[in-house]
């Protein structure tokens, strides 16, 4: 008896499959899986699987065992690790016997058998022709499944590594397509069979026919067919008629979408069917809220429109029917935005087609005039779908957020909104957004509608600004005043989001808004109010910066300065993101630098710097009081506030650097700011708080910014600062910020010969640190990427700025450090630092 036919081995296999699928203990499943993997690798697996599938023994093996046998055969055939058996033809016949035997079995078993047949046909010599020669002996259900998976084997092989070269794959595809006419005839005959002719329900058979047709369409079965013959092909009619059957709807949509995308001749034929699709299929689906039907029809109609936007732009009755149908799909309200979002590319294609027509021609004018109502209605539908949802406008004090799906939908809307603005014209677009008849009483305002219209206005700012048409901002300012006058307790979730959209509008149109002096104060008050809300803090801080930049002619007037200082002093609570705080400080610094009176400018900048001073000073005081430090929550809060204060100081000095370059800031002002900043930072760097990574990073960053803007004032302090940095690095050797700041100091002052000794001493001190001494191989360098990058930058700055010290450096460095430097060079080459 053959080993594969041994009852004991078959019993072991049955037990292992049962344990894999049904054992309750993980260890039993793991042991079964290991045994089955070993069996699959053995030479007995071929015969064992075939004997289970092709044998007519009774009782028949379990469904799980049969499925495993078919799956094992498929994997062995597909795997490049196993060679096909010498008797491949016998294996083919055995699989065909199994396909006949299990043609009415559970679908997943028949599918596995057919996949094994397809894989064998791809790899065996003459496999395709041999398979097709034997197909007439298969029952129709088995033949349909086999014909479905055969073309899929090509696509599957292209996406996976199954050891089949491209020449074999191309040969397989060519041989398949030689049989395409016979396959299409078979499918047509199947579609014309009466119900239950082969024991398979009609709806299920139609679904299988469409699946098979889809596979062959993807393989190119209609390649070379005349356009007229393709449009009138009975199988295309069958697929179209299947749209009315719920069971086969989805696959019918896939078939037609694939055909439209492949064959340029088909959009015209499908466009003629649009009135029927709209009236008979879409409108009832919309009325019944059948999302599956609506989504499928939307996909098909968009594919038709995108395949031939020029055809749609001609404005035939069928084209307008398509446009109207898709408008209804956009406006359809559902829990997500997938249906509306799926139409965006079509509308962009149509808009680009219209805008691409020569502007001076009558055709452009006629086409644009014909589609203006369409795109105007589209804007209404998009605004409706882009509204924030599920927010009670009467529930105060609750901050809401926009769902992720809506956020993505809005991001994808930008291009289309710009196209609509170009088609309607900027004045008409603005008028449509702002003339909605909103009441003047704040209690009657539909805030969700206001918010989405402000979003749509900000999205097209560049287009409107470029157009240059007059813009009446009175409506915007009306809402700005209403929102600014409300206390936080009076705001509801929707209005928190309204702040964000208005912040975006103010930032986008700041140049126009700030051209009127009377607007500045209410706009700043609005920004101050919006900054305090997390959801709008970023948009309002950006708006504040742009206002300060664009209104420089009167932003420095005393009442305005009072508002700016009020904003800066309110940041001490630490409720904002650090990035937003830096944006605000940059805005206010810009405004203060524009003050014409030198003394006022100096005192104002000093006042701004001092607004962050107390936050850092408090942490230094804690260093003197151990009781305060023992309170972990209070200490953590103080550290956070100090870090923010240091970041704000850094932002101030960063902006000052630009003003110094342009000559707006004199040396006396720098001296005052330096006198405030350095003593405080010196105390901080000498404290134990530098152990905290965030604090030390913020301190070094603000120091680097100050050095960049106040360089000459730091020159005399170079020895002290470098010593401070190197000593701190010895204490906290994972803090690469000290290395980075030292590199900035070397860049700024290393070329001066009087500082050569301190520069050499600094690199020696850094190099003596254990964390750097251990960098003696590429492996150890890889473990500390940030540290090695900072060290490489420091040594690079030293070599560039202190070239005369290299020989002295080589003499004074130990052999240990030379080995370390060599490892650093090798690592730097490998990491391209």
């Amino acid at each position: 008896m053959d080993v594969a036919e041994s009852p004991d081995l078959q019993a072991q296999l049955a037990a292992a499959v049962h344990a894999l699928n049904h054992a309750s203990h993980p260890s039993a499943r793991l042991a079964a899986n290991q045994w089955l993997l070993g069996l699959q690798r053995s030479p007995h697996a071929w015969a064992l699987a075939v004997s289970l599938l092709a044998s007519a023994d009774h009782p028949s093996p379990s469904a799980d065992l049969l499925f495993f046998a078919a799956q094992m055969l498929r994997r062995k055939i597909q795997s490049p690790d196993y060679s096909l058996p010498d008797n491949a033809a016998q294996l083919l016949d055995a699989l065909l016997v199994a396909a006949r035997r299990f043609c009415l079995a559970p679908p997943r078993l028949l599918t596995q058998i057919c996949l094994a047949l397809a894989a064998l046909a791809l790899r065996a010599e003459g496999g395709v022709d041999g398979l097709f020669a034997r197909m007439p002996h298969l029952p129709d259900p088995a033949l349909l499944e086999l014909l479905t998976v055969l073309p899929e084997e090509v696509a599957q092989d292209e996406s996976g590594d199954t050891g089949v070269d491209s020449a074999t794959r191309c040969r397989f595809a060519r041989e398949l397509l030689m049989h395409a006419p016979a396959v299409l005839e078979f499918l047509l005959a199947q579609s014309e069979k009466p119900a239950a002719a082969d024991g398979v329900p009609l709806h299920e058979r139609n679904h299988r026919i469409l699946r098979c047709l889809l596979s062959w369409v993807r393989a190119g079965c209609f390649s070379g067919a005349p356009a007229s013959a393709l449009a009138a092909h009975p199988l295309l009619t069958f697929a179209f008629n299947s749209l009315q059957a719920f069971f086969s709807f989805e696959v019918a949509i896939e078939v037609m979408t694939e055909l439209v995308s492949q064959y340029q001749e088909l959009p015209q034929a499908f466009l003629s069917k649009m009135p029927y699709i709209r009236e008979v299929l879409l409108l009832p689906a919309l009325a019944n809220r059948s999302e599956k039907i609506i989504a499928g029809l939307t996909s098909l109609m968009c594919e038709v429109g995108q395949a031939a936007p020029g055809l749609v732009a001609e404005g035939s009755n069928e084209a307008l029917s398509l446009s109207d149908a898709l408008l209804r799909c956009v406006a359809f309200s559902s829990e997500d935005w997938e249906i509306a979002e799926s139409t965006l590319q079509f509308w962009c294609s149509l808009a680009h087609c219209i805008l691409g027509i020569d502007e001076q021609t009558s055709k452009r004018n006629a086409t644009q005039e014909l589609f203006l109502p369409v795109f105007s209605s589209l804007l209404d539908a998009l605004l409706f779908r882009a509204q924030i949802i599920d927010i009670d406008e009467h529930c105060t004090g609750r901050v809401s957020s926009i769902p992720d799906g809506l956020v993505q939908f809005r991001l994808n809307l930008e291009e289309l909104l710009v196209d609509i603005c170009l088609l309607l014209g900027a004045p008409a677009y603005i008028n449509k957004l702002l003339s909605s008849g909103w009441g003047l009483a704040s209690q009657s305002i539909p805030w969700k509608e206001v918010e989405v219209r402000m979003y749509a206005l900000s999205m097209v700012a560049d287009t409107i600004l470029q157009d240059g048409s007059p813009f009446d901002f009175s409506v915007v300012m009306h809402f700005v005043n209403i929102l600014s006058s409300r206390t936080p307790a009076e705001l509801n979730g929707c209005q928190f989001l309204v702040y964000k959209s208005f912040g975006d509008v103010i930032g986008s149109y700041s140049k126009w808004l700030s051209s009127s002096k009377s607007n500045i104060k209410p706009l700043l008050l609005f920004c101050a109010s919006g900054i305090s809300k997390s959801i709008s803090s970023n948009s309002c801080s950006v708006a504040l910066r742009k206002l300060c930049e664009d209104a420089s002619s009167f932003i420095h007037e005393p009442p305005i300065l009072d508002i700016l200082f009020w904003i800066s002093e309110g940041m001490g609570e630490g409720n904002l993101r650090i990035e937003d705080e830096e944006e605000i400080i940059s805005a206010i610094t810009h405004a203060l630098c524009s003050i014409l009176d030198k003394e006022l400018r100096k005192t104002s900048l000093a006042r701004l710097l001092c607004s962050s001073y107390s936050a850092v000073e408090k942490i230094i005081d804690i260093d003197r009081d151990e009781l305060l430090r023992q309170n972990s929550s209070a200490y953590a809060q103080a550290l956070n506030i100090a870090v923010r204060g240091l970041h704000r100081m850094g932002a101030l000095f960063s902006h000052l650097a630009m003003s110094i370059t342009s000559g707006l800031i004199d040396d006396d002002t720098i001296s005052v700011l330096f006198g405030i900043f350095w003593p405080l930072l010196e105390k901080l760097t000498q404290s134990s708080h530098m152990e905290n990574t965030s604090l030390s990073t913020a301190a070094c960053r603000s120091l680097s910014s100050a050095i960049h803007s106040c360089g000459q004032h730091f020159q005399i302090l170079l020895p002290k600062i470098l010593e401070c940095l190197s000593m701190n690095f010895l204490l906290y050797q994972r803090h690469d910020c000290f290395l980075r700041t030292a590199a900035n100091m070397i860049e700024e002052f290393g070329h001066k010969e009087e500082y050569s000794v301190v520069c050499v001493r600094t690199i020696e001190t850094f190099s003596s640190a254990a964390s750097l001494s251990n960098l003696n191989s590429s492996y150890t360098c890889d473990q500390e990427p940030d540290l090695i990058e900072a060290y490489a930058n420091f040594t690079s700055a030293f070599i560039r700025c202190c070239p005369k010290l290299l020989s002295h450096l080589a003499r004074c460095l130990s052999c240990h450090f030379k080995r370390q430097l060599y490892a650093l060079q090798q690592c730097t080459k490998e990491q391209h630092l």
Side-chain angles (χ1 to χ4, degrees):
M1 178 183 295
D2 190 289
V3 174
E5 297 177 356
S6 166
D8 292 340
L9 182 57
Q10 292 188 9
Q12 283 182 282
L13 173 59
V17 170
H18 184 273
L20 181 67
N21 291 311
H22 304 292
S24 57
H25 202 283
S27 61
R29 293 197 298 272
L30 179 61
N33 185 61
Q34 293 300 320
W35 188 89
L36 290 170
L37 287 174
L39 175 66
Q40 182 172 301
R41 290 190 290 267
S42 74
H44 311 305
W46 294 104
L48 178 60
V50 168
S51 68
L52 287 168
L53 291 170
S55 173
D57 292 345
H58 295 285
S60 179
S62 70
D64 285 342
L65 183 56
L66 290 169
F67 178 78
F68 178 81
Q71 188 180 59
M72 182 166 63
L73 271 182
R74 175 181 64 80
R75 287 174 175 171
K76 286 185 75 70
I77 294 170
Q78 288 181 333
S79 173
D81 297 331
Y82 309 112
S83 299
L84 289 178
D86 296 333
N87 56 346
Q90 293 181 20
L91 178 59
L92 182 65
D93 289 334
L95 284 168
L96 287 168
V97 169
R100 284 196 299 273
R101 181 184 176 195
F102 299 111
C103 66
L104 297 178
R108 70 173 195 150
L109 174 57
L110 180 60
T111 299
Q112 283 298 317
I113 295 170
C114 291
L115 286 171
L117 280 165
L120 185 59
L122 173 63
R123 290 159 180 80
E125 187 69 29
V128 173
D129 292 337
L131 184 58
F132 271 88
R134 294 168 170 82
M135 279 185 185
H137 303 293
L138 286 176
D140 288 345
L143 185 52
L144 262 177
E145 185 64 24
L146 179 56
L147 290 174
T148 300
V149 302
L150 266 173
E152 292 174 356
E153 183 67 23
V154 178
Q156 180 184 6
D157 190 68
E158 288 175 346
S159 61
D161 180 16
T162 54
V164 178
D165 58 40
S166 59
T168 302
R169 187 163 54 245
C170 291
R171 182 264 306 165
F172 179 73
R174 286 195 306 271
E175 292 179 1
L176 273 184
L177 289 179
M178 289 176 63
H179 296 276
V183 172
L184 294 176
E185 284 184 21
F186 168 74
L187 292 177
L188 182 58
Q190 289 290 306
S191 70
E192 294 171 347
K193 274 190 174 184
D198 51 8
V200 178
L202 180 63
H203 69 274
E204 185 175 334
R205 188 194 325 135
N206 287 348
H207 185 268
R208 293 181 182 182
I209 293 169
L210 289 168
R211 276 187 59 231
C212 187
L213 178 59
L214 178 61
S215 292
W216 283 85
V217 167
R218 287 171 174 164
C221 66
F222 288 112
S223 298
S228 57
L230 182 55
H233 199 285
L235 283 173
L236 196 59
T237 303
F238 170 74
F240 187 81
N241 291 338
S242 297
L243 291 176
Q244 298 184 61
F246 185 82
F247 191 80
S248 56
F249 174 82
E250 285 183 312
V251 68
I253 286 288
E254 285 190 79
V255 169
M256 290 183 287
T257 300
E258 188 70 33
L259 283 167
V260 170
S261 67
Q262 283 193 29
Y263 303 101
Q264 297 179 356
E265 303 85 359
L266 282 180
Q268 176 70 66
F270 275 99
L271 196 60
S272 65
K273 299 178 183 292
M274 283 305 143
Y276 176 87
I277 291 176
R278 177 184 176 277
E279 296 296 329
V280 177
L281 300 176
L282 179 63
L283 293 183
L286 289 168
N288 296 326
R289 298 192 58 79
S290 302
E291 290 197 27
K292 173 184 170 182
I293 305 297
I294 298 167
L297 293 175
T298 301
S299 172
L300 176 61
M301 291 187 292
C302 286
E303 193 67 45
V304 172
Q306 285 174 238
L311 204 59
V312 179
E314 291 178 3
S316 64
N317 290 334
E318 293 83 359
L320 293 177
S321 180
L322 169 67
S323 300
D324 178 76
L326 285 173
L327 277 175
R328 293 172 185 269
C329 294
V330 173
F332 175 73
S333 58
S334 59
E335 291 185 0
D336 57 42
W337 293 264
E338 290 183 7
I339 293 175
E341 194 166 354
S342 68
T343 71
L344 300 184
Q345 194 57 51
F346 159 73
W347 292 113
C348 286
S349 300
L350 179 58
H352 292 168
C353 182
I354 297 172
L355 293 168
I357 303 173
D358 188 349
E359 235 179 323
Q360 306 304 319
T361 62
S362 57
K363 181 182 178 182
R364 163 70 178 269
N365 295 333
T367 304
Q368 194 161 345
E369 185 176 350
L370 179 64
F371 279 94
L372 278 181
V374 174
F375 280 93
S376 180
S377 298
L378 175 61
L379 180 57
D380 289 334
L382 292 173
L383 292 175
F384 171 72
R385 290 299 288 126
Q387 278 189 22
I388 47 183
I389 57 174
D390 297 331
I391 294 177
D392 184 357
E393 296 194 355
H394 303 290
C395 180
T396 59
R398 180 170 59 88
V399 179
S400 184
S401 59
I402 302 180
D404 292 340
L406 180 53
V407 170
Q408 189 60 47
F409 178 60
R410 286 187 169 196
L411 286 174
N412 294 334
L413 270 185
E414 182 175 356
E415 181 184 358
L416 181 53
L417 290 176
V418 170
D419 290 337
I420 294 173
C421 183
L422 290 170
L423 281 168
L424 300 183
Y429 183 92
I430 295 168
N431 184 62
K432 192 168 183 63
L433 293 181
L434 299 185
S435 60
S436 295
W438 294 313
L440 294 179
S442 61
Q443 295 301 321
S444 63
I445 295 172
W447 287 109
K448 290 192 291 188
E449 185 179 340
V450 172
E451 188 276 334
V452 75
R453 288 170 183 268
M454 292 304 106
Y455 150 78
L457 186 60
S458 66
M459 285 294 100
V460 299
D462 290 341
T463 303
I464 290 176
L465 291 171
Q466 188 175 1
D467 181 82
S469 299
F471 190 162
D472 181 5
F473 283 98
S474 59
V475 174
V476 174
M477 293 306 301
H478 170 67
F479 287 117
V480 163
N481 287 320
I482 290 176
L483 291 167
S484 300
S485 64
R486 293 197 168 189
T487 64
E490 295 176 306
L491 297 174
N492 59 45
C494 177
Q495 288 170 23
F496 284 110
L497 293 169
V498 174
Y499 264 95
K500 180 182 183 304
S501 292
F502 270 97
D504 291 334
V505 168
I506 294 169
S508 300
Y509 298 94
S510 61
K511 188 166 291 186
W512 286 3
L513 282 164
S514 61
S515 61
S516 173
K517 184 177 178 180
S518 60
N519 287 343
I520 300 301
K521 185 175 180 180
L523 288 173
L524 290 179
L525 290 172
F526 172 85
C527 289
S529 182
I531 283 168
S532 64
K533 303 161 185 62
S534 59
I535 200 167
S536 57
S537 61
N538 180 255
S539 61
C540 288
S541 59
V542 171
L544 177 67
R545 175 178 56 79
K546 292 187 175 181
L547 284 171
C548 290
E549 292 172 354
D550 294 331
S552 55
S553 57
F554 36 77
I555 196 73
H556 48 74
E557 295 184 1
I560 303 300
L561 292 181
D562 288 341
I563 297 174
L564 295 178
F565 280 120
W566 173 57
I567 293 173
S568 70
E569 289 159 5
M571 289 189 291
E573 299 174 6
N575 297 325
L576 304 180
R577 295 189 313 156
I578 288 176
E579 294 83 357
D580 294 338
E581 291 189 356
E582 291 178 344
E583 193 85 60
I584 293 165
I585 289 296
S586 295
I588 299 174
T589 304
H590 183 91
L592 299 183
C593 288
S594 67
I595 298 175
L596 300 178
D597 185 284
K598 289 185 178 181
E599 192 61 31
L600 178 59
R601 183 172 61 223
K602 179 172 61 178
T603 56
S604 297
L605 286 168
R607 179 181 173 185
L608 180 61
L609 185 63
C610 288
S611 66
S612 302
Y613 187 99
S614 59
V616 182
E617 191 175 39
K618 184 177 180 180
I619 201 74
I620 296 172
D621 291 339
I622 289 179
D623 202 42
R624 304 189 192 105
D625 191 339
E626 283 298 324
L627 290 177
L628 288 174
R629 192 160 186 171
Q630 289 171 8
N631 186 335
S632 57
S633 61
Y635 179 61
Q637 183 179 11
L639 274 176
N640 177 53
I641 293 174
V643 167
R644 291 170 174 275
L646 288 166
H647 276 286
R648 294 198 296 271
M649 289 181 173
L652 185 150
F653 281 111
S654 293
H655 196 89
L656 275 183
M658 294 182 286
S659 300
I660 292 169
T661 304
S662 59
L664 293 175
I665 299 297
D666 58 1
D667 191 64
D668 188 37
T669 302
I670 295 298
S671 297
V672 171
L673 298 178
F674 172 77
I676 297 172
F677 173 74
W678 171 245
L680 178 70
L681 196 67
E682 184 180 20
K683 291 178 184 177
L684 180 63
T685 56
Q686 294 170 356
S687 73
S688 60
H689 303 299
M690 297 301 282
E691 179 183 6
N692 182 272
T693 304
S694 297
L695 186 72
S696 59
T697 301
C700 287
R701 182 179 173 185
S702 62
L703 177 58
S704 295
S705 298
I707 291 168
H708 188 55
S709 59
C710 313
Q712 71 276 17
H713 295 275
F714 278 96
Q715 181 175 332
I716 194 172
L717 296 172
L718 180 65
K720 180 183 290 188
I721 294 174
L722 286 177
E723 181 182 4
C724 175
L725 293 170
S726 56
M727 290 301 104
N728 270 296
F729 182 70
L730 290 179
L731 289 172
Y732 317 114
Q733 296 189 20
R734 290 294 179 268
H735 292 16
D736 57 88
C737 58
F738 300 119
L739 287 164
R740 298 181 190 278
T741 306
N744 291 334
M745 295 292 292
I746 297 293
E747 291 270 10
E748 193 77 24
F749 306 112
H751 61 283
K752 298 181 181 294
E753 292 188 12
E754 60 265 35
Y755 298 118
S756 58
V757 175
V758 70
C759 291
V760 171
R761 187 166 62 243
T762 300
I763 196 168
E764 287 179 324
T765 305
F766 279 142
S767 304
S768 67
S771 59
L772 292 178
S773 299
N774 293 331
L775 298 175
N776 51 19
S777 69
S778 295
Y779 175 78
T780 55
C781 288
D782 288 341
Q783 307 310 303
E784 297 285 354
D786 293 336
L787 189 61
I788 191 63
E789 181 186 6
Y791 187 40
N793 288 340
F794 175 76
T795 55
S796 175
F798 187 91
I799 293 169
R800 287 197 315 274
C801 301
C802 312
K804 295 181 180 180
L805 301 179
L806 294 182
S807 58
H808 174 74
L809 178 63
R811 286 194 303 271
C812 70
L813 292 179
S814 66
C815 293
H816 167 77
F817 178 62
K818 289 177 183 177
R819 291 196 302 271
Q820 171 193 333
L821 186 58
Y822 173 76
L824 172 63
Q825 290 168 343
Q826 297 305 309
C827 181
T828 301
K829 288 177 183 177
E830 293 173 13
Q831 297 188 11
H832 305 287
L833 293 177

